[in-house]
């Protein structure tokens, strides 16, 4: 994935995942807590990501696919369809596909990818 894209993790994903993802992918990954977004509604987060430009949101929230379908991208979205689990299990489930998914989002007109 080009280094000019940032990944923003939604509030429902632990900041520890941001650290692991940044080390694995060698890109900028920020949690909603480091961005001070954790108390904001989804539309405000979407608008901030849109203003920032090349942002990929990672979320389990059903509202983001609707926002991106309705309002367009950027931001682009990795929609996680993985239930409650530990941080370690979540990372083990998404890690094998992250590079591929981010490349698809960065290099194509695809706005959203779902990971299960």
């Amino acid at each position: 994935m080009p280094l000019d894209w940032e990944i923003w993790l939604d509030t429902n994903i632990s900041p520890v995942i941001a650290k692991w993802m940044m080390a694995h992918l060698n890109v900028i990954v920020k949690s909603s807590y480091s961005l001070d977004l954790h108390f904001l509604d989804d539309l405000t987060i979407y608008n901030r990501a849109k203003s920032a430009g090349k942002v990929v949101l990672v979320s389990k929230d059903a509202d983001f696919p609707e926002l991106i379908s309705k309002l367009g991208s950027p931001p682009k979205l990795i929609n996680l369809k993985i239930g409650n689990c530990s941080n370690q299990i979540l990372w083990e489930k998404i890690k094998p596909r992250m590079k591929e998914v981010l490349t698809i989002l960065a290099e194509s007109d695809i706005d959203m990818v779902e990971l299960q």
Side-chain angles (χ1 to χ4, degrees), residues 1-92:
M1 176 171 193
L3 295 177
D4 58 344
W5 283 81
E6 287 186 2
I7 301 169
W8 292 9
L9 303 185
D10 195 12
T11 303
N12 52 27
I13 301 170
S14 171
V16 74
I17 300 288
K19 290 180 184 180
W20 295 340
M21 197 177 287
M22 194 164 17
H24 178 67
L25 300 170
N26 198 31
V27 296
I28 296 171
V29 182
K30 298 176 180 177
S31 75
S32 66
Y33 297 95
S34 68
L35 292 162
D36 203 26
L37 302 175
H38 54 286
F39 289 118
L40 300 177
D41 63 272
D42 293 337
L43 181 58
T44 302
I45 294 169
Y46 168 88
N47 285 327
R48 289 200 182 171
K50 188 166 201 69
S51 294
K54 293 183 174 184
V55 171
V56 174
L57 295 173
V58 180
S59 180
K60 293 182 175 186
D61 193 325
D63 292 335
F64 283 114
E66 292 174 16
L67 286 169
I68 291 173
S69 291
K70 181 179 173 182
L71 303 173
S73 71
K76 295 200 175 193
L77 176 68
I78 298 173
N79 188 24
L80 301 181
K81 294 291 194 172
I82 299 168
N84 291 339
C85 58
S86 70
N87 293 330
Q88 187 65 41
I89 290 172
L90 176 62
W91 179 236
E92 288 173 8

